Amino acid sequence: MSDYPFIEKQDPEVFEALEGEEKREAEGIELIPSENYVSKAVREANSSILTNKYSEGYPGKRYYGGQQFTDMVETLAIERAKQLFGAKYANVQPLGGANANIAMYFALLEPGDTILGMDLSHGGHLTHGHPVTYLTKIFKFVRYKMKNPDTGEIDYDEMRKVALEAKPKIVLAGFSAYPRELDYAKFVKIAREVGAYSVMDVAHIAGLIAGKAVKNPFDFGFDVMTTTTHKTLRGPRGGMILTRESDEIGKKMDKMVFPGLQGGPHMNNIAAKAVAFKEAQTPAFQKYAAQVLKNAKAMAEVFKKRGVRLLTGGTDNHLILADVFGSLGVTGKDAETLLDQAGITLNKNSIADDSRGPMDPSGIRFGTPAVTTRKFTETECARVAELMVDSLEKKDDTSVQKSIREEIRQLCVKFPIPDSHV
Ligand code: DSN
């Protein structure tokens, strides 16, 4: 029976799209490092009755009546988030990672203030100051980069120099395409030296932090963390803000998220966050997070062995950035299309100092959060990596491409997407 019996009856067009996506996800391998498969419990909460309810405000301080149960779920989400990340404060209302970052900037800064963030082409995110965002009309962004894209080492001396000159109010760590761990202590030291807040956007690695597979920036004195909840953390789509101490910063965040920037929170989504955070508190989730890293390393090793240049030389987290144009003469866009036809979804990505444009860059970005949820181990991940390089090397050989598609299909049958994560 379909998962969507009511939609099937009532709205065949939407039903067709949902069924198509069910099949696409079941029959293909998801390597986009910011995607994952949530449990059925998370999906149930997300499509629950709480979508009916308006709850402007915070638990115990709402503007409308009827909040007995919304207060329960939001409090559960907040307390679980605090416990997971060692935070004293959490705001679980931001609708996404960008919204969380925007609220964080507006809470901590005045228009015209400066933020020091990672250059987008070296791994930073759009909301960290890319000129296409409206944020750059309000704040001034200065940047740091890698000293050497082949090792991934950040140029901390240059970063300090820029900080001393530009006097940012926020020193921002975090990335969407950087495969290494940051030296958190250096960020905090520079931030304190110039009197700035230290903020880490952990969107990509939140699940790895919660699962104790990588370091927690709060242990190094970061003031604030922002995140999405749907990547390695394996929750519903959404955002969150956490602070290390329970102080003025948290109060500023609360005011800025609501009423500063948002209206009624999506309580169904907050219930789903609460469910996901409970899953992330389990030993099984810690095992999952550790396996994500092992699987990424296994894929990276194959690419290196096959002569494909990896940005930063490898990976310490869940993602890998490969220079497929430089190594194999296939552009990022062509690689994305070719692998999509083989049933492998990933994304084209600019690499540091890319000579090509962002719509058809030199690189691809891929990662292991979703396949690890599917219970792939290093063996399957290494095999998929071999198939990826085979496909890129023999892009015009239709029989090779066909047999790769078939092998991917079989792997998907052998490793179905699980309903439950506990
Ligand atoms: N779109 C997300 C990613 O793929 O990293 C970041 O916003």
Side-chain angles (χ1 to χ4, degrees), residues 32 34 125 176 204 231 365:
I32 293 177
S34 48
H125 185 249
S176 62
H204 263 261
K231 298 185 173 92
R365 183 188 71 152

Side-chain angles (χ1 to χ4, degrees), residues 37-50:
Y37 307 111
V38 300
S39 68
K40 280 276 167 77
V42 168
R43 280 174 60 176
E44 269 181 16
N46 208 25
S47 65
S48 69
I49 193 152
L50 287 168

Side-chain angles (χ1 to χ4, degrees), residues 1-8 15 19 22 40 43 419:
M1 175 165 127
S2 144
D3 264 0
Y4 313 102
F6 292 93
I7 304 175
E8 183 174 13
F15 179 72
E19 284 291 275
E22 289 275 351
K40 280 276 167 77
R43 280 174 60 176
D419 285 345

